[in-house]
């Protein structure tokens, strides 16, 4: 956010799931930055250390079957929207995907 602005988080029920948005009124992104924002290790931090946050979140969201989008305007701010599918699951039920993860296989 370039050291300025306020971050907010909201969530709402959407079609087939939930939408979580992280919004700020910080520095925003140029068109060029926005185009690369999900690229691993792409960062505009001055020490060059970064570029992990957005690709990691994109990976989590995709693994969950969701989608992520960014809207950003320089000097106006940024909104990152995560749309995650709702899953109806009985209490105690574990999917095969989860049991594989937990056993490390
Ligand atoms: N909320 C934001 N406002 C403005 N620019 C942003 C925002 N979030 C990300 N960016 C831009 O996208 C780039 C990549 O973001 P990403 O979160 O992947 O890495 P990072 O913030 O640089 O480092 P970190 O790995 O600590 O998150 C940032 O360096 C910045 O240029
Ligand atoms: Mg980041």
């Amino acid at each position: 956010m370039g050291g300025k602005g306020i971050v907010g988080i909201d969530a709402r029920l959407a079609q087939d799931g939930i939408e979580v948005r992280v919004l700020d009124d910080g520095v925003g992104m140029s068109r060029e930055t926005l185009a690369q924002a999900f690229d691993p290790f792409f960062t505009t931090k001055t020490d060059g250390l970064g570029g992990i946050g957005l690709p990691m979140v994109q990976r989590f969201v995709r693994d969950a079957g969701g989608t992520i989008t960014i809207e950003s305007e320089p000097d106006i701010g940024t909104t990152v929207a995560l749309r995650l599918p709702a899953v109806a699951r009985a209490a105690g039920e574990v999917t095969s995907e989860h049991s594989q993860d937990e056993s490390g296989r």
Side-chain angles (χ1 to χ4, degrees):
M1 291 170 57
K4 75 175 188 92
I6 294 173
V7 186
I9 300 175
D10 68 27
R12 65 184 185 91
L13 287 173
Q15 214 181 0
D16 303 327
I18 63 163
E19 181 178 74
V20 178
R21 297 189 307 165
V22 182
L23 321 84
D24 69 63
D25 60 355
V27 292
M29 294 182 225
S30 68
R31 194 178 284 268
E32 293 74 29
T33 295
L34 183 56
Q36 299 171 88
F38 287 122
D39 292 352
F41 306 116
F42 171 80
T43 185
T44 56
K45 285 183 176 174
T46 50
D47 62 4
L49 297 176
I52 301 298
L54 285 170
M56 202 169 67
V57 175
Q58 183 185 51
R59 175 69 190 268
F60 292 153
V61 169
R62 286 186 174 169
D63 282 356
T67 58
I68 181 170
T69 53
I70 305 175
E71 286 175 24
S72 191
E73 290 279 344
D75 299 323
I76 303 287
T78 300
T79 298
V80 181
L82 290 62
R83 281 164 297 277
L84 297 165
V87 179
R89 190 176 294 164
E93 182 190 342
V94 179
T95 65
S96 58
E97 209 177 313
H98 282 109
S99 53
Q100 278 172 1
D101 286 345
E102 282 156 15
S103 65
R105 279 177 272 129

